[in-house]
Amino acid sequence: MTDSLSSLPDLHHEAAVLAGALPYLRRYAGDTIVVKYGGHAMGNAELAMTFGRDIALLKLVGINPVVVHGGGPQINQMLERLDIRSTFVDGLRVTDASMVDVIEMVLAGSVNKEVAELISQAGALAVGISGKDGKLITARKLTRTVRDPDSQIERVLDLGFVGEPVKVDPRVIYALSGSGLIPVIAPVGLGEDGATYNINADTAAGAVAGAVHATRLLMLTDVPGVLDKDGNLIPELTAEQARQAIADGVITGGMIPKVETCIEAVQAGARAAVIINGRTPHACLLELFTASGSGTLIRAD
């Protein structure tokens, strides 16, 4: 009896947490939440299992999660095994014809199925697909220009088979979600010319979120969110405020493309995008089911 009584405070706390989540469960019931999964959270086995359970929970409580994943470290490992060297420009992997085959094999193959399996083992049914399936993501060749610091002449960089989304046809997503399944999407697209393109996972997630008019795009990163110049978390920004923060140098480095992706997503139809720390256990649940959230929310103006 003593052991039962001593456990009552813990049980009361758990009950209070569940009761506190009820308003948020009602808010998001039937909505689509797009989650970009990658980085440290993907490489940590314990965090990966927690992520799988959290995504399964979202589906089981009536929310429609859609997962878009990366796989940079896994691609690097495979390329090293095959003795293929990679070069990067502005964080983008220059991809030739032989390399894109390897990237598709890793992203749409082993990584895609591992992420789907994490969710399925947790009690929901996840299906791994790529942007090529059902012409989900139509892509075009991505170009980048650099300016010579001396002559100030711009030149176009050839990144090979690196692409950007031109169109997202969400019918396959709706078909899977409507059948009680969770789509897990590898960021590989198909060009109008029939070529396969490697797409940055953040960019792909933003395009998907805009196309399905997601209530939230959750961008799991390795940082708490957008920080001000004093290192404090900025809880919320409008798209215009985010642009100004980039112009003022508040948002710098690798955070710039992530914020730009969020801006593009909300302008394309997503209600809001949130940059959160994927290293925090249950980061998605904390963002969706608590009053304060856990990252930086970016909404349309």
Side-chain angles (χ1 to χ4, degrees):
M1 178 66 70
T2 303
D3 290 341
S4 298
L5 290 175
S6 65
S7 66
L8 281 178
D10 290 337
L11 294 175
H12 288 158
H13 175 70
E14 290 179 13
V17 170
L18 291 172
L22 181 58
Y24 304 100
L25 293 173
R26 288 175 174 169
R27 175 190 296 178
Y28 295 112
D31 288 354
T32 298
I33 306 292
V34 175
V35 183
K36 186 271 173 175
Y37 176 55
H40 182 85
M42 181 179 279
N44 181 293
E46 185 174 347
L47 284 175
M49 290 184 64
T50 299
F51 172 81
R53 289 195 294 267
D54 290 352
I55 297 300
L57 175 63
L58 294 182
K59 189 66 175 181
L60 294 172
V61 298
I63 298 169
N64 293 313
V66 177
V67 177
V68 181
H69 66 82
Q74 294 90 335
I75 292 171
N76 290 338
Q77 292 170 9
M78 181 59 71
L79 291 175
E80 288 176 7
R81 286 175 57 186
L82 299 175
D83 197 24
I84 299 174
R85 291 188 176 184
S86 296
T87 57
F88 291 84
V89 176
D90 293 337
L92 297 171
R93 189 190 306 270
V94 179
T95 306
D96 61 21
S98 61
M99 193 179 293
V100 77
D101 289 339
V102 175
I103 290 172
E104 181 177 14
M105 175 181 69
V106 175
L107 283 179
S110 58
V111 175
N112 185 254
K113 305 315 173 190
E114 286 172 9
V115 177
E117 185 180 359
L118 283 172
I119 300 168
S120 295
Q121 285 182 339
L125 295 177
V127 176
I129 60 175
S130 81
K132 293 171 65 175
D133 293 312
K135 291 189 175 180
L136 171 59
I137 302 177
T138 300
R140 67 185 171 204
K141 185 182 181 71
L142 178 67
T143 58
R144 283 284 186 268
T145 59
V146 293
R147 185 184 298 273
D148 184 274
D150 297 323
S151 66
Q152 295 300 306
I153 296 175
E154 286 189 344
R155 63 185 180 89
V156 177
L157 294 174
D158 186 357
L159 298 173
F161 292 90
V162 176
E164 61 182 349
V166 175
K167 176 184 176 183
V168 174
D169 185 341
R171 286 180 294 174
V172 66
I173 294 176
Y174 294 148
L176 292 171
S177 294
S179 299
L181 305 173
I182 299 173
V184 177
I185 304 168
V188 178
L190 186 67
E192 294 286 2
D193 56 358
T196 297
Y197 288 97
N198 174 28
I199 302 171
N200 176 272
D202 290 349
T203 304
V208 168
V212 300
H213 299 280
T215 299
R216 289 288 185 273
L217 164 62
L218 303 183
M219 299 275 285
L220 271 62
T221 67
D222 293 338
V223 295
V226 179
L227 308 179
D228 62 21
K229 289 186 176 180
D230 296 322
N232 299 313
L233 179 69
I234 302 174
E236 184 172 333
L237 291 166
T238 65
E240 181 55 37
Q241 289 171 337
R243 291 190 199 94
Q244 191 60 50
I246 293 173
D248 293 342
V250 175
I251 299 174
T252 60
M255 184 57 69
I256 292 177
K258 294 184 182 299
V259 170
E260 289 177 338
T261 292
C262 292
I263 293 172
E264 291 169 2
V266 298
Q267 289 180 332
R271 191 176 303 172
V274 192
I275 297 173
I276 58 178
N277 191 347
R279 297 176 297 179
T280 302
H282 308 296
C284 295
L285 303 187
L286 289 171
E287 174 56 38
L288 295 174
F289 299 146
T290 62
S292 59
S294 63
T296 299
L297 182 142
I298 298 173
R299 55 182 175 80
D301 299 335

